[in-house]
Each structure stands twice: as structure tokens, then as C-alpha cells.
Amino acid sequence: MLNGKITLVTGGSRGIGAAIAIELARCGASVIVNYRQGQTAAEDVCRTITEAGGIAFPIQADVSQVADIERMFDSIEKTHGNVDILINNAGLEIRMPSTDYPEDVFDRMLDTNLKGAFFCSKRVLKAMKEKGWGRIVNISSVHELRPTGNRSPYSISKAGMEMMTREHAFEFSRFGITVNTVIPGAIRTDLNKGVLSDPAYEKRVVELIPARWIGKPEDVAPIVRFLLSEEARYITGASITVDGGLML
């Protein structure tokens, strides 16, 4: 389905990003797994893919830094060609009361979650436009939809990502490019491992979910795969929740 498509998954070394990378490689994409610090984890994801007969390569870059983004894309384009599919998945969440956030923590979250996604998108959109085909999927969070406290910069960054999706879809869909958002709910990832290790907290979360269970990264990957397919060519500017009904 995705044979020959050069695909970049930012933050692809673990969690939802890793599950997406493995799923898309299974569908024939050549997957580039971006990581900031987790080189071993990224190499493990690539090994999982190649041992199953797929194609994958790790690449280091801190997407909160535009210079790093430019270096990453220069390297990809020199070695593999232009990126056909971009999954903006890299994210950072640090929890504390709004009155306690220092400027540097606020900046780190906005730069990673929103600025990084914007400048990665900026880098691919020109080539996608010239080719007349491209796919971008932005991985957001239910926190863009509902406040829960102690994570306002994270929620702000994800709400900004939602409007970025809509702006880019409006501007570029006429050129054969679709841009969509996937909004995961409570998912068992490394990002959530700390809070979900508290049985009382996990119980409270499960009670909020109509499906009464917490999802896995593998529950998110299939909807991303669908949005990249030709069957989804008329879907753009959409936001799809994968949350067990949490936002009902």
C-alpha cells in the first residue's frame, strides 16, 4: 500500500511513534525513525522492522531546534530523496501547576510539540506540492480538547497543532496533499508510565473511559495507516480521536 514512500516519524523510537513506524513499514514504506536521545531504542525499532523484511533507518535530531530539523532533512534528502509522508509525533509533556512553570520549560514544550511540527511540515510541503502528492499526520492529544490541570503548556501546544492541521489542509489540499490529526486518549506509553504506575490514578483514568480500558500504541497506528492510504484521499483537515470514548 505504501511501497516506495519515504516516511519520517518524529519521536519514533518509542511509544506511539514506534508503533506507527512498525505499522507503516509493514505496509511497505521506507521508514526513517527520528530520535532525540534514544539511539538504542531507535535502533531497536529499526531492527524490528528489518528483521520482519521492512526498510528502516534511524536519524538523530532535536526537532525543537530548527537548525537540527534542517540538518535532518538535508541528510534524508541526500540519502533517500524527498519525504513523501510525515508523521509529526515527537512530543514532550511536563506536569506542574500553571503558576510554577518556568519560561525554559514552557519554551521546551512549545518548541518540541508545536514549533518542531510546523518546521518539519514546512520542509516537506514544498516538495509534496511539486510532486502533487503528500501525506502529513499530526499526533495530538485529548488535552487539546479538554483541560485537566497541571499541563497547560502541553495542552496549548496540542491545541495549536490542531489549528496548524486545519491551516495546512486549507492551503495545500488542492495540490494532492492531505493533512490530518490523530488525537489519542489514555495510552500506555513511556510518557505515561510514571502516573499509570499509581493504581489509584489508573483506576480514576479507567473510570473516565467508556470502554473501561487504557489503550496501547498499537491501537493508534492503524488509523494513521488508513489516513495515509488512497482510501482516505478525500479526508483532510480532519481530527480523529482514538480514545475509547473518553471525549464523549
Side-chain angles (χ1 to χ4, degrees):
M1 182 181 76
L2 299 176
N3 290 342
K5 301 299 185 186
I6 305 301
T7 301
L8 172 63
V9 181
T10 68
S13 64
R14 60 181 184 168
I16 292 172
I20 292 170
I22 291 167
E23 176 71 13
L24 302 189
R26 187 183 65 80
C27 296
S30 296
V31 180
I32 299 162
V33 177
N34 160 255
Y35 67 94
R36 183 174 68 93
Q37 291 181 319
Q39 179 177 351
T40 300
E43 290 172 348
D44 288 344
V45 172
C46 291
R47 187 177 302 110
T48 297
I49 290 170
T50 56
E51 287 178 352
I55 300 171
F57 308 91
I59 190 164
Q60 191 280 330
D62 180 351
V63 298
S64 72
Q65 305 296 318
V66 175
D68 254 26
I69 290 171
E70 296 297 325
R71 174 183 59 78
M72 174 173 66
F73 278 98
D74 287 345
S75 176
I76 291 170
E77 290 168 7
K78 180 179 179 180
T79 306
H80 306 287
N82 291 323
V83 170
D84 301 299
I85 295 168
L86 171 63
I87 312 298
N88 281 314
N89 169 76
L92 177 66
E93 178 185 6
I94 299 172
R95 305 183 187 196
M96 65 180 72
S98 293
T99 50
D100 292 349
Y101 277 103
E103 181 181 7
D104 65 317
V105 174
F106 180 94
D107 288 346
R108 282 172 58 202
M109 276 193 280
L110 270 290
D111 288 350
T112 300
N113 301 353
L114 184 56
K115 186 177 83 173
F118 178 87
F119 280 96
C120 285
S121 298
K122 176 185 175 184
R123 183 64 188 251
V124 301
L125 280 165
K126 182 177 180 181
M128 288 179 176
K129 180 179 175 181
E130 291 173 352
K131 191 173 186 178
W133 194 95
R135 298 286 185 268
I136 299 175
V137 176
N138 298 315
I139 307 300
S140 186
S141 165
V142 291
H143 296 293
E144 76 165 53
L145 301 171
R146 186 171 74 186
T148 56
N150 293 331
R151 52 169 68 83
S152 58
Y154 180 77
S155 299
I156 290 165
S157 70
K158 293 303 186 179
M161 176 179 275
E162 167 64 18
M163 185 50 71
M164 181 181 71
T165 292
R166 293 166 64 86
E167 288 281 357
H168 286 165
F170 187 85
E171 187 173 355
F172 293 99
S173 293
R174 72 196 69 182
F175 304 110
I177 303 166
T178 67
V179 187
N180 292 291
T181 299
V182 170
I183 304 176
I187 306 293
R188 293 191 187 278
T189 64
D190 289 348
L191 201 64
N192 294 323
K193 184 183 294 185
V195 291
L196 291 177
S197 65
D198 177 355
Y201 180 89
E202 179 174 345
K203 183 175 183 292
R204 290 197 301 272
V205 172
V206 170
E207 288 174 349
L208 293 172
I209 303 170
R212 291 297 188 267
W213 52 280
I214 294 173
K216 297 179 180 180
E218 292 77 14
D219 295 312
V220 180
I223 192 63
V224 175
R225 179 238 303 150
F226 170 70
L227 289 171
L228 305 178
S229 70
E230 285 306 298
E231 288 83 356
R233 65 183 182 176
Y234 203 49
I235 300 173
T236 193
S239 298
I240 301 175
T241 54
V242 184
D243 66 351
L246 179 61
M247 289 294 100
L248 293 175

